[in-house]
């Protein structure tokens, strides 16, 4: 079980670094709701295709839900299966909820008797679990955010305020106001500052039913912004990652940042 | 049916008489809900509104939805399925809305009459507008029909449009 969990976490966090293949995502059952206390159910997985459960579940240990008034909201009925994690959320407030899995941790590799060791965890565990004098010890900080948004009634912005940590995308067009044929604008922040030249991969779901990914690549301009005109309605996945040296403390030498979001684009 | 005929006749006469005395712009919308041969039929939710060229809703004319409490809760749960209307207007309203919202309607032709002297047309500024009719049916489809028009009108006119699935004929009749 422990190995299984570790493996899952490693996969979930490795995704951005391997650049190829695996996609991490949160998929809400719907993004636009109305009425008194409607519910959404959310799937969380790491997969080869969008949005199918065919690899490993995404762990929910670092699930953070922000309610429309900015307070934390509680996920219910959490469960993790073979291929996916799932949870429910009751939208007790009117407005926009930000649902995110935020992973901030350390990743270490070293060598023992010619064998490569890998470790992933938080700062506290590092001291006791990683031999500090290990051969070829390489420590990397990772800051990752996987998120999606749902709105009950009138959309609002309170939950969307950037936290200033890692890569974040500020939707200049509200994330739950995406329509096919319309242009949406986004501003990308790294540690709260606009980030130019960052490439995003954008893929529409349902990849199983077509031969090519049909991904779009956009790069942020000098203001850290990019625009997308959605060709078709559907659930879309946006992903980016980058590496820098802005580490916290002295343990790590490099930092890997990643970001993935799921947005629903509705038909006209 | 007979009573219907007489009231229609009376209505016509009344309309004729009032026309002779006052200049009242009239806007009438006829929406046909088609008979569909499906195994599970639910009456559609329908929203009828007027928007500006910028797609901003300026007047909600009518919204038909399930107003009573049902097995799955109140019918407001499905209002976002009227996607465009929900986006432009619905989500900002407190349901029900006096004079705008009403129960779903059966298969057939439904005619709505509006006078410029009364809400919601009262004080509608002169300009280019689009009449939009959106229909969505539980376990069925969704359709949007648009008819552009100018307001106010200087001569009587009727503009027709037709839906392909969830809506039949839609017509807009404008009278000076």
């Amino acid at each position: 079980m422990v190995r299984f969990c570790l493996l899952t976490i490693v996969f979930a966090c490795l995704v951005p670094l391997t650049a190829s293949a695996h996609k991490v995502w949160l998929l809400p059952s719907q993004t636009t709701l109305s009425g008194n206390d409607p519910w959404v159910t959310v799937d969380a997985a790491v997969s080869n295709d969008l949005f199918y459960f065919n690899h490993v579940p995404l762990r929910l240990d670092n699930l953070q839900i922000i309610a429309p008034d900015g307070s934390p909201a509680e996920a219910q009925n959490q469960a993790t299966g073979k291929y996916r994690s799932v949870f429910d959320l009751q939208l007790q407030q009117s407005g926009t909820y930000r649902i995110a899995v935020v992973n901030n941790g350390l990743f270490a590799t070293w060598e023992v008797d010619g064998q490569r060791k890998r470790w992933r965890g938080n700062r506290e565990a590092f001291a006791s679990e990683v031999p500090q004098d290990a051969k070829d010890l390489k420590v990397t900080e990772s800051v990752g955010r996987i998120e999606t948004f749902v709105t009950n009634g009138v959309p609002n912005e309170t939950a969307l305020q950037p936290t200033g940590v890692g890569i974040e995308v500020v939707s200049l067009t509200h994330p739950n106001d995406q329509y096919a044929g319309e242009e949406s604008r986004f501003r990308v922040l790294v540690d709260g500052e606009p980030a130019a030249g960052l490439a995003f991969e954008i893929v529409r779901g349902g990849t199983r039913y077509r031969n090519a990914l049909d991904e779009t690549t956009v790069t942020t301009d000098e203001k850290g912004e990019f625009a997308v005109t959605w060709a078709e309605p559907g659930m879309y996945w946006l992903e980016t990652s980058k590496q820098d040296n802005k580490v916290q403390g002295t343990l790590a030498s490099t930092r890997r940042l990643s970001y993935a979001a799921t947005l629903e684009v509705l038909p006209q | 049916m007979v009573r219907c005929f007489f009231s229609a006749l009376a209505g016509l006469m009344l309309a004729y008489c009032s026309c002779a005395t006052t200049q009242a712009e009239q806007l009438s919308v006829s929406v046909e809900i088609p008979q569909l041969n499906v195994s599970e039929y639910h009456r559609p939710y329908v929203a009828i509104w007027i928007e500006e060229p910028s797609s901003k809703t300026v007047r909600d004319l009518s919204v038909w939805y399930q107003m009573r409490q049902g097995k799955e809760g109140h019918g407001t749960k499905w209002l976002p399925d009227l996607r465009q209307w929900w986006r432009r207007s619905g989500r900002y309203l407190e349901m029900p809305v006096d004079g705008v919202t009403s129960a779903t309607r059966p298969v057939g032709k439904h005619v709505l009459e509006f006078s410029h002297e009364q809400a919601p047309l009262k004080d509608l500024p002169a300009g280019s507008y689009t009449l939009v009719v959106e229909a969505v049916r539980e376990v069925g489809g969704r359709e949007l029909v648009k008819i552009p028009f100018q307001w106010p009108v200087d001569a009587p006119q009727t503009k027709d449009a037709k839906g392909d699935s969830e809506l039949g004929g839609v017509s807009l009749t404008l009278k000076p």
Side-chain angles (χ1 to χ4, degrees), chain A residues 32-35 153-155 177 179 182 266-268, chain B residues 76-77 79-80 83-84 86-88 91-92 142 144:
Chain A
T32 306
L33 301 100
S34 78
V154 186
D177 204 3
Y179 280 79
E182 294 184 9
L266 294 168
Q268 286 290 331
Chain B
T76 52
K77 180 180 175 185
L79 283 173
R83 287 191 211 107
Q84 284 301 325
W86 181 253
R87 174 196 199 185
R88 309 288 185 203
R91 63 194 186 186
Y92 303 105
R142 170 184 168 270
L144 195 74

Side-chain angles (χ1 to χ4, degrees), chain B residues 27 48-59 61 124 127-133 145-151 172:
Chain B
L27 182 154
I48 304 164
W49 74 97
I50 296 173
E51 66 180 30
E52 288 178 345
S54 66
S55 296
K56 184 174 173 282
T57 299
V58 287
R59 297 290 190 276
L61 298 183
L124 180 67
S128 299
Y129 296 102
T130 304
L131 172 83
V132 191
V133 182
V145 168
K146 295 185 174 196
I147 302 177
F149 67 96
Q150 291 287 328
W151 184 264
L172 170 67

Side-chain angles (χ1 to χ4, degrees), chain A residues 196-257:
Chain A
L198 199 54
F200 271 76
E201 188 189 5
I202 302 171
V203 187
R204 184 168 54 87
T207 54
R208 188 192 287 167
Y209 304 118
R210 56 182 194 262
N211 293 326
L213 264 190
D214 292 343
E215 76 271 33
T216 306
T217 304
V218 290
T219 304
T220 55
D221 62 17
E222 69 282 355
K223 287 187 289 186
E225 295 179 11
F226 70 88
V228 187
T229 300
W230 309 106
E232 285 178 71
M235 280 287 186
Y236 280 76
W237 182 78
L238 285 74
E239 192 267 344
T240 193
S241 61
K242 78 177 296 246
Q243 194 164 327
D244 65 21
N245 300 317
K246 292 174 186 160
V247 292
Q248 292 190 323
T250 52
L251 292 172
S253 50
T254 54
R255 181 173 77 147
R256 281 175 176 138
L257 303 135

Side-chain angles (χ1 to χ4, degrees), chain B residues 106-141:
Chain B
V107 167
K109 204 173 240 191
H110 303 277
V111 180
L112 308 168
E113 299 272 0
F114 303 94
S115 157
H116 86 294
E117 289 171 326
Q118 287 170 350
L121 283 193
K122 198 167 190 274
D123 304 328
L124 180 67
S128 299
Y129 296 102
T130 304
L131 172 83
V132 191
V133 182
E134 184 175 21
V136 64
R137 191 166 47 86
E138 189 180 344
V139 297

Side-chain angles (χ1 to χ4, degrees), chain B residues 153-169:
Chain B
V153 283
D154 38 24
Q157 52 181 300
T158 297
K159 296 178 166 210
D160 293 315
K162 203 170 157 27
D164 296 319
S165 53
E166 300 300 330
L167 287 168

Side-chain angles (χ1 to χ4, degrees), chain B residues 1-148:
Chain B
M1 192 60 205
V2 173
R3 200 205 292 159
C4 219
F5 173 74
F6 278 115
S7 67
L9 193 67
L12 274 176
M13 288 166 71
L14 202 68
Y16 179 79
C17 295
S18 64
C19 268
T21 51
T22 62
Q23 285 286 306
E25 280 97 359
Q26 294 277 336
L27 182 154
S28 86
V29 182
S30 163
V31 175
E32 185 189 7
I33 296 178
Q35 177 98 47
L36 298 170
N37 187 17
V38 291
S39 57
E40 184 184 343
Y41 181 80
H42 299 270
R43 291 180 181 182
Y45 277 27
V46 175
I48 304 164
W49 74 97
I50 296 173
E51 66 180 30
E52 288 178 345
S54 66
S55 296
K56 184 174 173 282
T57 299
V58 287
R59 297 290 190 276
D60 282 312
L61 298 183
S62 202
V63 178
W64 309 338
Y65 73 103
Q66 187 208 313
M67 301 183 79
R68 63 175 204 283
Q69 190 81 13
K71 205 172 24 179
E72 290 187 308
H74 209 260
T76 52
K77 180 180 175 185
W78 309 107
L79 283 173
D81 288 352
L82 287 163
R83 287 191 211 107
Q84 284 301 325
W85 172 77
W86 181 253
R87 174 196 199 185
R88 309 288 185 203
S89 174
R91 63 194 186 186
Y92 303 105
L93 304 175
E94 193 78 46
M95 296 289 143
V97 183
D98 271 356
V100 173
T101 52
S102 61
T104 54
R105 300 193 180 193
V107 167
K109 204 173 240 191
H110 303 277
V111 180
L112 308 168
E113 299 272 0
F114 303 94
S115 157
H116 86 294
E117 289 171 326
Q118 287 170 350
L121 283 193
K122 198 167 190 274
D123 304 328
L124 180 67
S128 299
Y129 296 102
T130 304
L131 172 83
V132 191
V133 182
E134 184 175 21
V136 64
R137 191 166 47 86
E138 189 180 344
V139 297
R142 170 184 168 270
E143 187 158 41
L144 195 74
V145 168
K146 295 185 174 196
I147 302 177

